Amino acid sequence: MISRYALSINALISAAPTQLCAGGTVQFGTPAAGPGYTYAWAFPGANPPASASTQNATATYPTAGPWTATLTVTDGGVNSSTNTQVVYVTACTPIQNTCTNWVFPFHCALSFATGMPVAFLGTVCGSGEPSAMISNSSGALLFYTD
């Protein structure tokens, strides 16, 4: 008899963020779960840990580069699944001045406070008409152009 878990084992990886500055931390996870499941993560380039054995894990990347995380999920028997996720680490400097927040048309807003553009919660970026706004850390408008 084939177990319903054996048919659906999939080492699907979720990772956030997948683009970050050196020294940043990535949260990894997988929805793969079932009785007896084991997890084997490998994080080359991370410092520490270089590996984990839990369903969810974190890894901090101190140096720039594309780094590939690998997850192998085993169902406690002979069935397993392996998957990879690339994270892109950049040697960037966070912006901590009046150029931190950028707002675009059609509900798109980005923060550069981490050094990488990160969408504000609840915004969707994908408009074709450019414009820009600069605000201070309190959100006061300093400059706008369209």
Side-chain angles (χ1 to χ4, degrees), residues 9-101:
I9 190 169
N10 183 351
L12 181 67
I13 297 174
S14 62
T18 56
Q19 296 182 20
L20 63 152
C21 293
T25 299
V26 179
Q27 301 284 331
F28 292 95
T30 181
Y37 275 29
T38 60
Y39 308 91
W41 292 94
F43 305 110
N47 183 25
S51 64
S53 59
T54 56
Q55 186 175 1
N56 300 300
T58 60
T60 300
Y61 293 90
T63 57
W67 300 101
T68 302
T70 303
L71 169 64
T72 299
V73 178
T74 304
D75 66 1
V78 296
N79 300 302
S80 67
S81 175
T82 300
N83 205 348
T84 60
Q85 172 69 53
V86 177
V87 294
Y88 299 92
V89 182
T90 305
C92 52
T93 304
I95 299 171
Q96 299 296 326
N97 60 31
T98 58
C99 296
T100 300
N101 301 323

